[in-house]
Amino acid sequence: MDKIIDIIKYLIDTNIVNFALMVWFFWWVFDKIDIKKLMNNVVQAVKDKIQKSESEKESSNISMNKALETLNKLPDEIKEIEKFNNDKIELFKKQLEISTQKTIDKIENNIEKSIKIEEKNISKEVMNETIEKSIEQARNNIIEMLKSNPDLHNKFIQDGLDKLDKAEL
């Protein structure tokens, strides 16, 4: 019996019982938990994440390739836009030149009309002034003639009376 007690003491001192209990506990836990199934689930989850990551990588590569294509086409598109803008600018310049020329032509025509009207007005004023001076000169000449020759005055009166007599008949 001493030997049994010594063995039990030895087992208690060396923690063999604790170790055995731990092994038994882990065996029981692993027996209750389906480790194989759990490991398969973890492996499958990792595979799914890897597959998802690869598909995202492929999608990113496709997007990157499209972006690179767009980037490579960008200089040509910029040239097309510049050409389009230059064409629009040229068209606008031509329209502006045509519009400006039409406006200039209208202004020139209006100036010519104004000049002609002014010429007519000046001509009319000169003519009226000339007529007035001519009438004044003729009046002065007639007065001088009548003063210098009183018989003309009498003749003028007689002619006027004769015309009046004829008008009454």
Side-chain angles (χ1 to χ4, degrees):
M1 181 100 180
D2 275 341
K3 279 193 169 195
I4 293 180
I5 291 178
D6 283 340
I7 292 176
I8 291 176
K9 246 184 187 186
Y10 175 76
L11 288 176
I12 291 173
D13 286 340
T14 60
N15 288 329
I16 292 178
V17 173
N18 287 340
F19 179 73
L21 284 174
M22 259 328 232
V23 168
W24 176 80
F25 176 74
F26 281 124
W27 176 80
W28 180 77
V29 168
F30 289 139
D31 188 45
K32 293 291 181 192
I33 300 173
D34 190 4
I35 296 289
K36 190 174 185 181
K37 183 178 178 183
L38 186 64
M39 290 300 278
N40 284 338
N41 288 344
V42 169
V43 168
Q44 187 61 40
V46 170
K47 284 181 181 179
D48 290 344
K49 284 187 179 186
I50 290 172
Q51 189 177 14
K52 182 180 176 186
S53 175
E54 286 178 359
S55 67
E56 286 177 357
K57 179 183 174 186
E58 188 176 323
S59 175
S60 294
N61 283 337
I62 290 171
S63 295
M64 184 182 74
N65 289 336
K66 286 181 181 178
L68 287 174
E69 285 178 27
T70 302
L71 188 61
N72 289 336
K73 291 178 184 178
L74 192 60
D76 292 335
E77 289 176 1
I78 290 173
K79 286 178 184 177
E80 286 179 32
I81 290 171
E82 286 177 346
K83 183 180 181 294
F84 178 76
N85 285 339
N86 287 337
D87 291 345
K88 285 287 188 183
I89 289 171
E90 287 301 317
L91 180 64
F92 181 70
K93 280 182 180 178
K94 287 179 183 177
Q95 289 175 344
L96 186 61
E97 287 174 0
I98 290 170
S99 175
T100 303
Q101 189 59 45
K102 285 180 180 179
T103 304
I104 289 171
D105 291 344
K106 284 181 181 178
I107 291 172
E108 286 177 350
N109 287 339
N110 288 340
I111 289 172
E112 287 177 15
K113 287 177 183 177
S114 294
I115 289 173
K116 286 179 183 178
I117 290 171
E118 280 299 312
E119 285 176 350
K120 286 180 182 178
N121 286 340
I122 291 172
S123 176
K124 186 177 176 183
E125 285 180 25
V126 169
M127 193 177 198
N128 286 341
E129 195 174 303
T130 303
I131 289 172
E132 284 178 18
K133 289 195 181 200
S134 294
I135 290 172
E136 184 65 33
Q137 184 65 40
R139 185 175 169 263
N140 288 338
N141 286 345
I142 290 172
I143 291 173
E144 282 299 315
M145 281 173 53
L146 291 174
K147 282 182 183 178
S148 65
N149 193 352
D151 290 335
L152 284 175
H153 187 46
N154 290 337
K155 183 180 177 191
F156 178 70
I157 291 172
Q158 189 59 43
D159 285 342
L161 290 172
D162 288 342
K163 285 182 182 177
L164 280 174
D165 287 338
K166 286 181 185 177
E168 286 182 23
L169 294 175

